[in-house]
Amino acid sequence: MKSTTLKGLSVLLLSSLLAGCQSTETKEVENTPEAETKAVNNESSKSEHNHSHVHDEDAEKIYAGYFEDSQVQDRALSDWEGDWQSVYPYLLDGTLDEVFEHKAQQNGDKTAEEYKAYYDIGYKTNTERIVIEGNNVTFYENGEAFTGEYEADGYEILNYEAGNRGVRFIFKLTEPADKLPQYIQFSDHSISPTKADHYHIYWGDDQNALLEEVTNWPTYFPSDMDGHTIAHEMIAH
């Protein structure tokens, strides 16, 4: 396993491989959305012995990006199945302003305006909707739909400069097609089979270049959620 150091802006992603896929590498980056997740307080675990509590704490650590390579498991495209909407329009229309205000008050490292500018870069996309059904992924851009069939192509573990980590699960287009990316990479704070409730996605034709992309991470929530509900979900996490 080799380690590659990648540089980028600070942002809000082996033991096993998917069948027939490339070797998994552990890569180092400055930060991505997962790197902003706060670390879990380890002291509380010392006085707790209840199995359910330990399980919940382990899940919190994984969500925050603290896990072992051996805990990472293969995932199928079905984990992201559904009808998804981009959150970028909600940033543009001001619906997410309360999220940025909350972050500014909670963290104190940026103003709400600075957080909004930061997430404007991260969320920016022209793909307003993505529908995933079976092995088919449909991208909607300016009302036009482009559908392709994708298959699993492994995963990459990323080490963040903040000290935590994330995993990108990779899928590749089975047959070349116009206006469709050769690769898509999902990042959703989970490292094993789990139905996603939202995700960050990266797409393009150069897989290695995508792994270096840490400034733009279009983010999607279920299409049946309204903007205010999404904002409250973001604040809760």
Side-chain angles (χ1 to χ4, degrees), residues 16-54:
S16 59
L17 295 174
L18 294 171
C21 296
Q22 75 215 30
S23 299
T24 303
E25 299 177 358
T26 300
K27 295 185 180 291
E28 298 181 1
V29 299
E30 281 196 15
N31 286 321
T32 68
E34 289 76 2
E36 289 197 344
T37 308
K38 300 302 181 183
V40 177
N41 185 345
N42 293 325
E43 291 301 316
S44 63
S45 65
K46 296 179 181 179
S47 60
E48 298 288 347
H49 301 286
N50 182 275
H51 288 299
S52 62
H53 172 82
V54 172

Side-chain angles (χ1 to χ4, degrees), residues 24 201 207-208:
T24 303
I201 186 171
Q207 180 171 311
N208 288 328

Side-chain angles (χ1 to χ4, degrees), residues 71-136:
Q71 292 177 276
V72 182
Q73 298 177 23
D74 301 336
R75 296 176 68 182
L77 191 57
S78 57
D79 277 1
W80 299 276
E81 189 160 15
D83 193 322
W84 305 90
Q85 62 177 320
S86 166
V87 301
Y88 189 51
Y90 296 125
L91 180 147
L92 295 177
D93 70 11
T95 302
L96 300 184
D97 284 357
E98 61 180 306
V99 178
F100 310 131
E101 291 167 4
H102 172 77
K103 285 182 174 292
Q105 294 173 1
Q106 183 181 54
N107 300 332
D109 59 339
K110 297 183 182 72
T111 65
E113 292 75 16
E114 288 171 334
Y115 266 113
K116 185 169 185 175
Y118 168 77
Y119 278 93
D120 186 280
I121 296 171
Y123 290 158
K124 187 183 293 291
T125 181
N126 291 324
T127 301
E128 65 267 14
R129 180 183 173 209
I130 296 175
V131 175
I132 301 172
E133 185 174 7
N135 293 324
N136 291 324

Side-chain angles (χ1 to χ4, degrees), residues 60-72:
E60 290 176 355
K61 287 181 179 178
I62 289 172
Y63 188 91
Y66 297 92
F67 55 84
E68 301 297 329
D69 288 1
S70 59
Q71 292 177 276
V72 182

Side-chain angles (χ1 to χ4, degrees), residues 10 14-15 22 33 45-46 51 75 81 103 109 117 122 149 171 178 210 222 225-226:
S10 172
L14 281 161
S15 57
Q22 75 215 30
S45 65
K46 296 179 181 179
H51 288 299
R75 296 176 68 182
E81 189 160 15
K103 285 182 174 292
D109 59 339
E149 182 177 348
F171 296 82
D178 290 339
L210 287 180
M225 294 178 68
D226 62 49

